[in-house]
Amino acid sequence: MLTNAKISGVAGWVPEYVLTNNELSKMVDTSDEWITTRTGIKERRILKDDNKATSDMAASAINILLEKTNTSPLEVDLIICATVTPDMLFPSTACLIADKVGANNAFGFDLSAACSAFLFALDTGSKYICSGKYKKVIVVGADKMSSIVDYSDRQTCVIFGDGAGAVMLEPDDSTENGVIDSILKVDGAGGKFLKMIAGGSLNPATKETIKNRHHYIYQDGKTVFKFAVTKMADVSEEIMKRNNLKGSDVDWLVPHQANLRIIDATAKRMNVSPNKVMINIQNYGNTTAATIPLCLSDWESKLSFGDNIILAAFGGGFTWGAIYLKWAY
Ligand code: UT7
């Protein structure tokens, strides 16, 4: 039998510590005015506890999700963790999360697609539901960006923050709601503009890689900005066209929160009015894989059954994409 995958619940979790623009301006040569006007960010959350990592934030979001959806962890079939900051290279963060939340009947894996990872994971998870094989799939986007941010590099340290957001996917047998369509893309030629050079099989950790600060994010901000503005708008327009949606048909645009100027440009091209765009970048900065589920969580009370929602993202890889879904509760 045909079925769609619907989001049946959402939850977010961010650490307590608030890193403000003013505090950053004491660490590097920057200012609240520059950060606010160039990015839209006012503050971000940082996971300060050295003994906690991405899996802990993801587990916290998932525990809230399980409670909200009245689900026992033993009912969960699959956990897909979208992240670029796994606790370690292996075991996968999904394995650690499953253990932490007691999802002892689930399997799981990590999915790496930088800022687009939540979209890639949501699409992947929805296919497992549509196949009929699984009934409860959790997709969690979680990143402890503070573990790979160079707090002496003003170009990158002002942008990123830590956080996690999770959704529950279940079958929607009406086939009217849930994930309707997706367009996902990669272009590895863009990899050189946004990357972490060391720590993988090409450049394992050495004294040199540490001295050269190669275990931190490198970003050519201007180039990434240029591609992000074009590609996020292109793919959003494409998914609207092929689903016969006009700007006025879109109830909510949920964009990746990398830069307010990228979000505004995307909404403008889609002809979606600003009051239909979810924006929380001012509070959390760019939490990479967590931005979109954190938005859905913050806006949950405003969402209605049947709402037309477009999710859109662009990130390192390059990776980008858009998903069209109808809200199911
Ligand atoms: O989520 C993954 C994808 N990532 C993105 O989408 C991020 C895309 N890029 C961006 O959002 C922006 O490029 C940044 C926010 C990273 C930088 O903003 P920008 O408007 O592109 O600045 P810029 O790199 O063109 O730099 C303009 C000036 C430069 O000074 P000069 O050369 O004009 O004297 C920079 O050195 O601003 C300077 N600058 C800063 N000044 C104060 C760069 N960073 C800072 C800073 N504070 N934090």
Side-chain angles (χ1 to χ4, degrees), residues 2-252:
L2 268 183
T3 183
N4 278 3
K6 67 177 179 191
I7 292 177
S8 58
V10 59
W13 190 89
V14 290
E16 250 171 57
Y17 189 84
V18 177
L19 176 59
T20 63
N21 290 350
N22 284 332
E23 191 179 346
L24 274 169
S25 69
K26 293 182 189 121
M27 296 156 66
V28 288
D29 182 14
T30 190
S31 64
D32 176 43
E33 204 259 333
W34 191 95
I35 303 170
T36 306
T37 52
R38 305 308 293 168
T39 71
I41 300 165
K42 295 300 281 185
E43 56 189 43
R44 65 291 288 145
R45 299 300 184 96
I46 304 293
L47 188 60
K48 282 285 187 185
D49 186 339
D50 288 339
N51 296 313
K52 300 272 185 209
T54 295
S55 68
D56 297 290
M57 296 194 295
S60 298
I62 290 173
N63 281 331
I64 300 167
L65 180 72
L66 292 171
E67 201 178 319
K68 277 175 75 176
T69 56
N70 203 13
T71 307
S72 154
L74 298 175
E75 292 175 71
V76 178
D77 298 305
L78 164 62
I79 296 173
I80 306 177
C81 177
T83 189
V84 78
T85 51
D87 287 23
M88 50 193 93
L89 277 179
F90 72 90
S92 77
T93 311
C95 293
L96 304 173
I97 296 168
D99 181 49
K100 283 177 181 166
V101 303
N104 298 335
N105 295 319
F107 80 112
F109 54 87
D110 291 1
L111 193 152
S112 173
C115 298
S116 310
F118 182 78
L119 295 194
F120 286 29
L122 183 65
D123 197 47
T124 306
S126 78
K127 300 295 187 248
Y128 277 101
I129 296 284
C130 294
S131 75
K133 189 157 184 196
Y134 299 116
K135 300 278 179 243
K136 289 187 193 291
V137 172
I138 290 176
V139 177
V140 58
D143 271 303
K144 184 182 171 184
M145 295 308 290
S146 61
S147 66
I148 57 168
V149 163
D150 180 350
Y151 285 97
S152 67
D153 173 10
R154 69 174 181 176
Q155 281 251 21
T156 51
C157 74
V158 301
I159 303 171
F160 295 101
D162 301 339
V167 297
M168 179 73 77
L169 289 176
E170 294 186 65
D172 178 75
D173 295 329
S174 75
T175 71
E176 275 169 21
N177 290 316
V179 176
I180 308 287
D181 195 10
S182 63
I183 303 175
L184 306 175
K185 310 252 189 190
V186 302
D187 178 3
K192 55 183 172 289
F193 301 114
L194 179 49
K195 61 184 174 183
M196 193 168 89
I197 295 165
S201 57
L202 181 62
N203 296 298
T206 62
K207 279 184 188 160
E208 277 296 295
T209 62
I210 291 169
K211 199 178 98 213
N212 293 331
R213 310 185 84 76
H214 284 170
H215 294 272
Y216 293 123
I217 300 164
Y218 163 82
Q219 176 173 249
D220 172 348
K222 253 194 175 80
T223 305
V224 176
F225 184 89
K226 220 169 59 195
F227 276 94
V229 163
T230 313
K231 297 295 186 189
M232 221 163 105
D234 282 352
V235 78
S236 304
E237 205 177 33
E238 191 183 340
I239 206 162
M240 284 171 72
K241 261 195 192 134
R242 85 178 189 193
N243 289 281
N244 298 314
L245 295 170
K246 299 187 297 296
S248 55
D249 298 322
V250 175
D251 295 296
W252 296 102

